[in-house]
Amino acid sequence: MSPLTIEDQIIDYLNDEMSSSERTEFELLMQNDEKLRSSVSQYSQILKEVDVSPQSAPSAALQKNFDRFINSYAAGLNEGPQISQSPKTFNLMGRGFQQAAIFIIILGVGLLIGLNIKSGEIIDQYAHQQDIMMDLLKAKSTSHRVRAVNMSHQMQDKSDDIINVLLQTAKEDESPHVRLAALDALSPYKELTNVKRVIMHAASQDDDASVQIAAIQLLKQMDHQDAIQTFDHIIQDRNALNFVKDEAYSGKIHLVQNTY
Amino acid sequence: MLTDEIIMRKVAGGDIKQCGVLFERYNKRLYNYYFRTTYDGALSEDLTQQAFEKIIKYRSSYKTDNSFKSWLYKIASNVMNDHFRKEKSHRNRNQLYSSGKEDTEDPYSQIDKKESIAQIHRALDKLPCDQREVIWLTRFEQMKYAEVAEMKGVTESAIKVKVHRAIKRLKAEYLQLEKL
C-alpha cells in the first residue's frame, strides 16, 4: 500500500483508525501546523454533517407488502398433513360425548355450506359488477365510462384486475373526465408502487390541467420525497400552464418543508 | 430486548413471523441504503422488499455466529447488484441521474437554515454509487472496514482505500459547491 498522504492521516484520525502513539504524534503535528488544524476541522465538519443527515421514510406500502408476503409464506409452511386423532383416544370417549360430537360436526358442515353459498353469491355479484364495469369502459360515451369508473367505488377490496384497469384508464382514456374519475378511484391505493407511478405520470405528462392538478394534490398528500423530481419537471416544463406550475411549486415547498 | 442474532436464529428455526421484528428494526435503514445509492424511492422500496424476501428464503444459510447486520447487508448488496445486472444500465442510470440533477432546480435551495445539510446532500449526490454506498455503510451504519470487506468479498485495505477516496471526493465536491 502506498504511503499515507496527510489527507489519509486526517481521515484515519477522525475515523479513530490510529494507534495511540500515531494519534499522539499526529496531535503534536497539529499543534504546530495551523494549515493542518484547519484541514482537520474542515473534514470533521463535513463528516459531522454526513452523520446528522436526515433519513427518508419508505411509504406504508412497503410494510403492507411485507406483511402480505410473510403471512402467505407462513401459511404455506403451516400447510402439511393433518394429524389425525388416534382411534384409542376416540374409544375412550363416552357414548354421549360421541353423539354430541356428531351433532356439532353436522351443525358445522351445515354452517359451512351456508357460508359457502353466501360467499359464492358475493363472489358472483362481484364478478357481475366487474363484467358490467369492463363493458361500460369500452363504451363510446364519456358518461358511460365515467359511470364505469364510479362503479369501482362500490367494490370493496378491489382486485388486481380492477386496479390495473383503473391504472390503464387513468393513463390512456381519451377523456380528461374519465381520467380524473380513475385517479379519484385509485386514490385509496396511492401508496402502491404502480399506482404512485401513474399518479406521477399524470402530474407531469397529462395534457389536461385539471388532471394534472388532481394528481399533484394526491402527490402532496402522500409526502413522497421522490415526487420532488416530478414537481421540478412540471416547474421547468415550458408547455405547462402557470397555475399548474404554481400548484407543483406549492407541492414541492410542502414536501421540502416536511423533510426537515 | 432480544438481539438480532437470536431473532434470526428463531427465523432460521422456522418461526418465520419473527422476521417482522427484524423488518421493523431494519426496513427504514435498508430503504435509505438503497435510496442514498439509487435516488429512486419506488425502486428502493422494491429492493428492500426483495432483500427481506431473500432473508426468509435463505434463512437456513444464516450462520449463527455471524453478525446479522453484516449478513443482511451482504444480501442487500447482492439484491442491488442483481437488479443492476438485469437492467444492464447501472452506469447509464448514474449518468442519467446526475445529468438530470444538474438540469433541475435544487429542492433544498428553499431552506436557508438547513443550507449546510442541503450542501452535503448535493455533494453526496455527485459521488458515484459505490462511493455513496461505502459512506452509508461506514458512517450511518457504523460498520467496520472488516465487516464491509466481508460483505463485499474484498480485502479490508481495499475498503479502506475506497472509503478514503470517497471522503476526499466528498470534501472536494463540498468545497466546490461552497464556491458557487
Side-chain angles (χ1 to χ4, degrees):
Chain A
M1 202 177 150
S2 55
L4 290 179
T5 64
I6 196 71
E7 283 195 304
D8 287 317
Q9 288 182 52
I10 295 172
I11 296 168
D12 274 348
Y13 176 73
L14 293 171
N15 280 353
D16 211 11
E17 294 280 333
M18 280 180 166
S19 66
S20 60
S21 63
E22 285 170 336
R23 202 171 178 79
T24 314
E25 200 182 323
F26 188 77
E27 281 170 352
L28 205 66
L29 256 177
M30 267 203 297
Q31 277 178 13
N32 304 317
D33 188 339
E34 200 187 324
K35 206 175 153 196
L36 176 60
R37 278 203 304 276
S38 152
S39 281
V40 171
S41 148
Q42 243 173 5
Y43 267 110
S44 167
Q45 188 201 339
I46 289 169
L47 291 178
K48 269 181 197 156
E49 280 170 18
V50 169
D51 292 345
V52 298
S53 165
Q55 291 192 22
S56 313
S59 73
L62 178 62
Q63 177 81 51
K64 276 186 201 164
N65 289 341
F66 175 76
D67 288 344
R68 201 178 302 149
F69 172 79
I70 206 164
N71 285 334
S72 62
Y73 199 92
L77 280 184
N78 289 336
E79 273 173 18
Q82 295 295 310
I83 299 163
S84 58
Q85 200 165 27
S86 73
K88 193 178 174 187
T89 320
F90 193 73
N91 284 340
L92 290 174
M93 294 175 179
R95 196 179 168 79
F97 191 86
Q98 283 179 29
Q99 283 172 344
I102 289 164
F103 176 74
I104 288 167
I105 289 166
I106 291 168
L107 193 68
V109 169
L111 267 173
L112 276 174
I113 291 168
L115 279 174
N116 274 337
I117 290 167
K118 183 75 184 164
S119 65
E121 279 172 5
I122 290 167
I123 290 165
D124 285 349
Q125 201 182 343
Y126 188 91
H128 184 59
Q129 272 183 323
Q130 193 169 324
D131 288 346
I132 294 173
M133 185 187 152
M134 300 291 187
D135 284 344
L136 277 175
L137 273 175
K138 288 175 198 156
K140 278 189 179 172
S141 149
T142 301
S143 63
H144 281 161
R145 297 203 304 281
V146 170
R147 219 179 103 203
V149 171
N150 289 340
M151 273 181 77
S152 72
H153 287 289
Q154 296 155 15
M155 300 177 185
Q156 301 294 321
D157 297 327
K158 294 179 188 51
S159 68
D160 286 348
D161 287 347
I162 296 283
I163 289 178
N164 287 336
V165 165
L166 289 172
L167 286 170
Q168 200 184 349
T169 307
K171 222 171 151 181
E172 291 171 7
D173 195 282
E174 63 187 33
S175 160
H177 302 296
V178 181
R179 296 199 298 274
L180 202 59
L183 275 184
D184 183 43
L186 286 167
S187 62
Y189 302 91
K190 57 184 181 287
E191 297 297 343
L192 295 175
T193 308
N194 50 353
V195 175
K196 191 172 69 184
R197 282 187 186 146
V198 165
I199 295 172
M200 283 179 168
H201 180 271
S204 61
Q205 306 290 321
D206 202 286
D207 54 16
D208 186 90
S210 62
V211 178
Q212 283 188 293
I213 297 278
I216 291 169
Q217 284 170 350
L218 280 175
L219 289 176
K220 257 169 85 174
Q221 289 167 23
M222 287 151 71
D223 277 348
H224 272 297
Q225 294 308 306
D226 42 349
I228 287 175
Q229 271 183 295
T230 307
F231 290 151
D232 278 332
H233 183 88
I234 300 164
I235 292 163
Q236 290 181 3
D237 183 359
R238 285 180 191 163
N239 298 322
L241 296 171
N242 281 339
F243 65 92
V244 175
K245 287 185 182 189
D246 288 346
E247 193 68 31
Y249 192 74
S250 123
K252 178 179 167 179
I253 298 288
H254 172 81
L255 292 186
V256 171
Q257 282 172 344
N258 276 9
T259 310
Y260 299 106
Chain B
M1 194 173 77
L2 293 179
T3 64
D4 298 339
E5 286 73 22
I6 293 175
I7 295 171
M8 189 58 221
R9 257 177 258 160
K10 288 186 177 190
V11 176
D15 191 355
I16 303 293
K17 295 257 177 183
Q18 288 290 326
C19 196
V21 181
L22 296 171
F23 181 83
E24 200 132 292
R25 286 183 193 174
Y26 283 96
N27 81 81
K28 193 177 170 188
R29 287 156 77 170
L30 216 53
Y31 170 80
N32 276 273
Y33 162 67
Y34 288 129
F35 188 68
R36 298 284 185 220
T37 314
T38 66
Y39 285 103
D40 183 331
L43 173 64
S44 301
E45 285 185 6
D46 288 350
L47 296 177
T48 307
Q49 170 83 14
Q50 282 178 41
F52 277 99
E53 286 177 10
K54 286 210 186 305
I55 284 172
I56 293 173
K57 281 177 187 164
Y58 302 122
R59 61 190 183 280
S60 50
S61 72
Y62 173 70
K63 287 175 188 154
T64 50
D65 46 349
N66 281 5
S67 143
F68 169 73
K69 196 163 84 178
S70 298
W71 187 67
L72 169 71
Y73 273 97
K74 193 171 188 170
I75 288 176
S77 172
N78 287 341
V79 165
M80 186 158 60
N81 292 340
D82 285 350
H83 169 77
F84 284 127
R85 206 171 295 131
K86 276 180 204 158
E87 292 268 307
K88 290 186 182 168
S89 64
H90 194 176
R91 188 177 294 170
N92 293 344
R93 182 181 196 88
N94 239 342
Q95 284 165 352
L96 189 73
Y97 183 76
S98 51
S99 60
K101 279 255 145 183
E102 280 157 19
D103 293 344
T104 56
E105 193 186 335
D106 194 318
Y108 305 110
S109 62
Q110 306 297 324
I111 305 166
D112 291 339
K113 63 179 180 178
K114 297 286 182 187
E115 186 52 36
S116 61
I117 291 178
Q119 190 162 314
I120 205 76
H121 269 275
R122 285 196 293 260
L124 280 166
D125 289 356
K126 289 182 178 291
L127 265 51
C129 280
D130 57 335
Q131 293 192 350
R132 281 202 298 268
E133 185 185 14
V134 289
I135 286 191
W136 172 265
L137 294 170
T138 54
R139 306 300 309 181
F140 297 96
E141 279 299 341
Q142 299 184 326
M143 284 169 83
K144 300 277 174 211
Y145 293 157
E147 285 179 289
V148 182
E150 192 202 321
M151 169 187 152
K152 292 283 181 188
V154 294
T155 62
E156 194 177 332
S157 56
I159 292 298
K160 182 174 173 172
V161 168
K162 202 165 206 172
V163 170
H164 278 221
R165 273 191 198 144
I167 294 176
K168 283 182 214 169
R169 168 107 186 246
L170 179 67
K171 185 202 164 203
E173 298 290 357
Y174 185 89
L175 295 182
Q176 188 67 32
L177 287 166
E178 214 165 46
K179 283 183 197 162
L180 297 175

